[in-house]
Amino acid sequence: MKSRILSNEKIASGIYKLVFEWKGGIPSPGQFVMVDCKDKTFLKRPISVCSADDKSMTIVYQVKGEGTKNLSEMKKGDTIEVTGPHGHGFELYEDKNVLIVGGGIGIPPLLYLVKKIKAKNSYIALGFKSEIFLVEEFKNLGEVIVTTEDGSFGKKGMVTQVIEDIIDKIDIIYGCGPKPMLKILQDISLKNNIPCQISVEERMACGIGACLVCACKVKKDGGFEYKRVCKDGPVFWAEEVEF
């Protein structure tokens, strides 16, 4: 689907917020779209949905290579080609005390999750290396704790270090971020017997489960099998993922 860009702004170092017209299906929290980054980039890039309605969609992305650099240079009025929404998103449970844990560029899809979930209480832990983004948007949606690795904002340290203090209040955990953070969430959920869903990131080519580039090892019957992050995920129950 070709869509007109409504805005494309830098919100932190190397982090951009892109809003474009959207007339496709309304995504579930945790789903993603495939974005054509033009020029010499052949494959579309998978980017999680930060928010969406029946008129527009917002994605937040990090410039990592040629494709996302091209994307960062596009302006209001330009046209992009987007497919989706793709993948299996978070399962939502109402009237629960939820813990949302995000790290770095894994944080944007959790904003859409917090907006959609009908939680009893939302506790939100956001971890950054140094520069923060989207924190103000989260503050209206729950109790927010921010950590930075260098201590420049919020508490100094890793985001997983602050959640043990509130874990006794929690019915379910949702997480998205780097693998080491997701592994710790898995350990915390198993230790405290609290269900946990995590969004896993892998390199993708097709986004529809055909190319098998994004295979993820999951536990099965005492062994393991491979699932496709793009089609079977990107959201999995933490206990089933083999790190």
Side-chain angles (χ1 to χ4, degrees), residues 51-172:
S51 69
D53 56 31
D54 59 355
K55 295 181 180 178
S56 66
M57 179 179 290
T58 300
I59 57 176
V60 174
Y61 61 95
Q62 183 176 27
V63 175
K64 290 185 176 180
E66 184 178 357
T68 43
K69 183 176 182 300
N70 292 343
L71 201 59
S72 72
E73 294 170 350
M74 299 181 76
K75 296 178 173 56
K76 179 180 178 180
D78 288 346
T79 299
I80 58 170
E81 185 170 342
V82 180
T83 64
H86 297 283
H88 176 76
F90 292 102
E91 294 186 30
L92 306 185
Y93 298 89
E94 296 184 6
D95 200 32
K96 300 288 187 184
N97 292 311
V98 304
L99 172 61
I100 309 288
V101 185
I105 198 61
I107 288 172
L110 298 177
L111 181 60
Y112 190 43
L113 171 66
V114 182
K115 288 179 178 177
K116 288 294 184 181
I117 198 168
K118 295 177 181 176
K120 185 176 182 180
N121 293 291
S122 294
Y123 301 91
I124 303 162
L126 307 175
F128 304 87
K129 284 190 175 180
S130 58
E131 194 173 3
I132 63 171
F133 54 89
L134 297 180
V135 171
E136 289 302 315
E137 286 87 336
F138 277 99
K139 284 185 176 177
N140 295 323
L141 301 168
E143 183 178 325
V144 178
I145 304 170
V146 176
T147 68
T148 49
E149 293 181 23
D150 63 0
S152 58
F153 192 92
K155 295 186 177 181
K156 183 176 181 179
M158 309 302 288
V159 68
T160 47
Q161 293 175 300
V162 301
I163 62 179
E164 291 281 7
D165 295 338
I166 56 175
I167 201 67
D168 290 343
K169 305 176 183 178
I170 303 304
D171 299 314
I172 185 167

